[in-house]
Amino acid sequence: MSRPARAGAGAAYSSPLAEELAPEVLERFLRYVRIDTQGAYRMPRRPSTEKQLDLSRLLLEELRELGLEDVQLTDGSAVFGSLPGAEGAPVVGLIAHVDTTPDVTGAGVSPIVHEAWNGEPIELPGDERQVLDPEALPELAACVGHDIVTSDGTTLLGADDKAGIAEIMAAVAYLLRHPELPRPPIRVGFTVDEEVGRGAEDFDLDLFGADVAYTLDGSDLGELEVETFSAKSIRITIRGLGVHPGTAKGKLVNAVKLASELVQSLPQDRLSPETTEDREGYIHPHRISGNAEEAIVDFIARDHDDDLLEEHVQLVVGVARGLTEREPRAAVEVEVLDSYRNMRQYIEENPRVVEAALEAIRRAGVEPKIAITRGGTDGAVLSSQGLPTPNLFTGGHEYHSVREWASVQDMAAAAATIVELAGVWAEPAG
Ligand SMILES: [Zn+2]
């Protein structure tokens, strides 16, 4: 667990600034991932788990110690802080989330630094089945010579999104140590419950007061995500007629069978997460519950195109309604909820938010790439609420699995990008 940059290892860094920032990024990252901040689904309370605030409170302390102003834990359980900057420059927000996915345990994380990785498959010592094979992971294969951080194979690593937090913290610490560097006013925001889709809930945009923002919640080196899915959830409640099965002839209407029919009637070879990629949308039945009397099927629908998304929703609704045509004694209830919308349209209205990020990535010594995500981010919700918020890379990979890994050199490049971004935003628009 020693320092990443040893003699001769510096060549893997994207810039001298990245190399300078690397030890602090790594030190913070290794500390933050040890704090269990796993969230939970379907918890009415907020945050969904109290332990997320263990990290939030630590960050609160650390931001105060660094010397940020207006540091506070908001009513929406976000940590906010300010770094004053050039008057008249746009206020730039930097956002990351403290929580980790409910799907994989984040307790007892024991990070391992594989220094100057030699390109051989990385075996995780806690579970011999967990191997990171560069042949199957092209992004890992591109990191030969980097210092690679993994868990021991029994837990998440938590790079999603503690890499983003460590990068923001190291970057603002650097900016505070270098007051001579031009920078705009900066607002830092660390949210809870992003992984359960509630990161932007109760996010007080007026209090945050940023003109533009960036989430540090992406992945591959140099990527700037400017598009998310548009997302809806669909709940179909099917009511049958329950009767004792011994006397059910001609009477029973079985909601379980109707629910099964509903799922089976959807396309089998397309329009599902398991059969689509890139810009292809999907309908995904992700939960089914109930009995012969009543059954509930929950779907999510996703597409980058709002019209296509509506078609996917109507497909499900049409099939569901069709059940009652064939079986008029059944009743079907349909509930459709908006989750978030593709942020592209909001980002496009503010071209400088993208241009500034691409320029900052270049100045950090990295080739920028515009990317789309097959998911959502806090930024998608914030963008639709008026704060354009694309998503910057963090250097973490294989999220939501025990094989999650992060490159120290790429995390350092992300931190350097934040410092460069401050410089770009301090310059007059042009
Ligand atoms: Zn994330």
Side-chain angles (χ1 to χ4, degrees):
M1 231 70 71
S2 60
R3 304 279 280 253
R6 293 179 307 177
Y13 288 99
S14 64
S15 71
L17 176 61
E19 184 164 10
E20 183 179 347
L21 289 166
E24 179 169 349
V25 173
L26 180 59
E27 183 276 325
R28 289 183 180 278
F29 180 66
L30 295 178
R31 267 192 307 117
Y32 300 154
V33 297
R34 286 188 167 89
I35 300 168
D36 178 11
T37 57
Q38 187 176 13
Y41 294 119
R42 291 176 180 272
M43 297 294 280
R45 61 182 219 153
R46 184 172 167 79
S48 65
T49 54
E50 182 70 21
K51 60 190 175 186
Q52 293 176 49
L53 296 179
D54 293 348
L55 178 54
S56 304
R57 292 200 184 92
L58 175 70
L59 294 168
L60 201 70
E61 288 285 301
E62 293 190 354
L63 287 171
R64 284 197 180 117
E65 279 166 24
L66 285 174
L68 274 79
E69 298 176 5
D70 310 318
V71 178
Q72 61 175 307
L73 186 64
T74 70
D75 292 343
S77 297
V79 175
F80 284 179
S82 297
L83 204 62
E87 252 172 69
V91 179
V92 176
L94 301 169
I95 298 170
H97 63 89
V98 299
D99 59 304
T100 60
T101 178
D103 295 334
V104 183
T105 182
V109 174
S110 179
I112 301 169
V113 183
H114 308 264
E115 284 186 21
W117 172 58
N118 62 7
E120 297 283 309
I122 299 174
E123 291 169 17
L124 303 182
D127 180 347
E128 62 189 15
R129 295 177 308 123
Q130 308 298 346
V131 179
L132 281 74
D133 183 354
E135 287 211 3
L137 302 169
E139 287 153 350
L140 179 63
C143 290
V144 174
H146 289 210
D147 306 302
I148 304 295
V149 191
T150 66
S151 77
D152 66 3
T154 63
T155 69
L156 276 179
L157 175 60
D160 178 11
D161 187 21
K162 288 158 185 168
I165 293 174
E167 291 153 10
I168 291 172
M169 292 296 286
V172 297
Y174 180 89
L175 289 169
L176 279 160
R177 286 197 303 274
H178 294 273
E180 75 283 3
L181 294 176
R183 63 171 192 243
I186 290 171
R187 288 286 275 163
V188 171
F190 296 129
T191 60
V192 293
D193 279 335
E194 194 273 349
E195 298 290 0
V196 295
R198 297 173 61 197
E201 193 179 305
D202 302 325
F203 190 96
D204 189 333
L205 281 173
D206 290 330
L207 182 66
F208 196 54
D211 297 304
V212 298
Y214 299 87
T215 46
L216 269 289
D217 195 15
S219 179
D220 201 23
L221 179 70
E223 278 188 353
L224 176 72
E225 290 172 344
V226 298
E227 275 199 58
T228 57
F229 270 143
S230 285
K232 293 189 190 229
S233 64
I234 310 162
R235 168 165 282 194
I236 307 290
T237 305
I238 301 165
R239 293 202 177 81
L241 286 172
V243 185
H244 187 289
T247 57
K249 187 168 183 184
K251 297 180 196 155
L252 174 70
V253 177
N254 189 340
V256 170
K257 288 189 177 168
L258 292 171
S260 152
E261 193 180 320
L262 168 63
V263 174
Q264 279 303 312
S265 301
L266 295 172
Q268 301 293 309
D269 53 358
R270 65 187 179 88
L271 222 53
S272 61
E274 60 272 34
T275 59
T276 51
E277 61 186 352
D278 299 329
R279 280 181 188 275
E280 298 166 325
Y282 60 73
I283 299 161
H284 177 44
H286 65 96
R287 188 168 183 275
I288 188 161
S289 59
N291 52 37
E293 183 109 15
E294 180 183 282
I296 295 173
V297 188
D298 286 313
F299 298 84
I300 57 173
R302 300 281 191 264
D303 207 290
H304 291 97
D305 182 291
D306 288 351
D307 293 337
L308 289 176
L309 178 66
E310 195 49 40
E311 281 180 26
H312 305 334
V313 171
Q314 288 313 318
L315 177 64
V316 176
V317 171
V319 171
R321 299 238 185 266
L323 295 174
T324 57
E325 272 162 39
R326 199 184 57 63
E327 178 46 271
R329 293 173 297 170
V332 164
E333 207 178 287
V334 174
E335 191 189 349
V336 180
L337 293 175
D338 287 315
S339 302
Y340 52 85
R341 287 190 65 188
N342 188 344
M343 65 183 169
R344 175 171 69 174
Q345 64 188 103
Y346 311 105
I347 304 291
E348 279 175 349
E349 288 166 14
N350 299 270
R352 195 181 172 198
V353 79
V354 172
E355 287 157 18
L358 298 180
E359 177 60 19
I361 295 168
R362 268 182 224 112
R363 288 186 193 179
V366 177
E367 185 62 40
K369 291 175 275 188
I370 295 261
I372 62 170
T373 171
R374 287 176 62 79
T377 63
D378 280 352
V381 179
L382 298 176
S383 294
S384 70
Q385 292 172 351
L387 179 64
T389 309
N391 189 26
L392 276 165
F393 73 97
T394 63
H397 297 269
E398 301 297 304
Y399 287 166
H400 301 196
S401 96
V402 296
R403 293 173 308 284
E404 207 185 352
W405 61 274
S407 152
V408 173
Q409 281 74 4
D410 292 356
M411 288 195 286
T417 296
I418 299 170
V419 172
E420 302 287 2
L421 190 60
V424 175
W425 277 106
E427 294 165 7

